[in-house]
Amino acid sequence: MPPKMASVASSSRFCYLALRDGYKQFNNSEDIIFEHSCRIKGVNATANLDAYIPKANIYFEVKCHEIFSQHSIYLKKSYWNLLYGQENDFGFSYAKCPDIDEFKIELCNFGIAKTKIRFDIKQFLCHLWGIASQKDKDIPAKLVYLFFRLCHNKWLILTRNSV
């Protein structure tokens, strides 16, 4: 059992419980890797996702309690080019990195009207960058997010979105 899955409230454990019987709906494969890491090209960082189906190139991430608290919307300078560099994956206009240590993520660029959010958009971006760094695969990558919420002392799945 991977280390994070030993914790009752870990996202990896929720992912395992959500997928243990139904992950074949995403691909008729027996292979699923829990707690999969993807190096993010261009920075010294790794995106840690809750599960991965190699044959289908599908990544899974689960959110539960952490989506209900405030999150910082600042990134270190090293991430600037991933957002605003000439070859960024978001289609943003090129902008030279200013002389700063960190910068605020402009949520309006992502269609988010709020100034503070309860969803960790920094982690979400890191997951997207980690998956985008795996572009050498023959099969296009997919990301499936599973959201859980505590309701009447039971965890319920809220939505399932794929990017």
Side-chain angles (χ1 to χ4, degrees):
M1 178 182 302
K4 275 182 58 185
M5 285 178 52
S7 171
V8 174
S10 80
S11 57
S12 292
R13 187 175 189 90
F14 277 90
C15 189
Y16 169 76
L17 294 172
L19 297 177
R20 67 179 170 191
D21 298 323
Y23 72 89
K24 288 186 182 178
Q25 68 182 328
F26 297 99
N27 187 322
N28 196 17
S29 171
E30 295 293 327
D31 298 326
I32 188 165
I33 301 167
F34 289 95
E35 296 183 15
H36 182 73
S37 297
C38 298
R39 296 283 307 146
I40 301 173
K41 291 181 184 171
V43 294
N44 186 21
T46 303
N48 297 306
L49 291 115
D50 290 317
Y52 174 57
I53 299 176
K55 290 182 181 177
N57 206 18
I58 300 174
Y59 299 83
F60 294 87
E61 181 62 20
V62 168
K63 294 291 164 210
C64 41
H65 60 280
E66 67 264 39
I67 66 172
F68 300 107
S69 58
Q70 298 289 349
H71 291 279
S72 168
I73 52 177
Y74 288 88
L75 285 170
K76 293 179 183 174
K77 177 181 182 174
S78 59
Y79 288 88
W80 180 271
N81 284 333
L82 293 175
L83 271 181
Y84 303 112
Q86 290 180 348
E87 297 180 20
N88 71 72
D89 289 318
F90 297 99
F92 295 152
S93 297
Y94 169 74
K96 185 178 178 191
C97 184
D99 188 19
I100 54 173
D101 291 330
E102 64 180 18
F103 64 98
K104 182 179 179 182
I105 301 169
E106 296 299 334
L107 297 174
C108 60
N109 290 341
F110 297 94
I112 301 170
K114 299 178 179 184
T115 57
K116 292 183 179 179
I117 58 173
R118 292 175 131 0
F119 177 74
D120 193 345
I121 193 155
K122 289 190 318 185
Q123 187 182 59
F124 180 66
L125 290 172
C126 286
H127 291 151
L128 293 177
W129 288 321
I131 292 167
S133 296
Q134 314 304 309
K135 288 182 181 175
D136 56 343
K137 304 270 186 184
D138 294 334
I139 302 168
K142 297 170 192 72
L143 173 61
V144 177
Y145 255 75
L146 304 171
F147 294 88
F148 286 83
R149 179 175 182 203
L150 186 61
C151 183
H152 305 294
N153 294 325
K154 292 183 182 179
W155 286 96
L156 302 174
I157 190 166
L158 294 177
T159 60
R160 183 183 332 193
N161 292 329
S162 65
V163 173

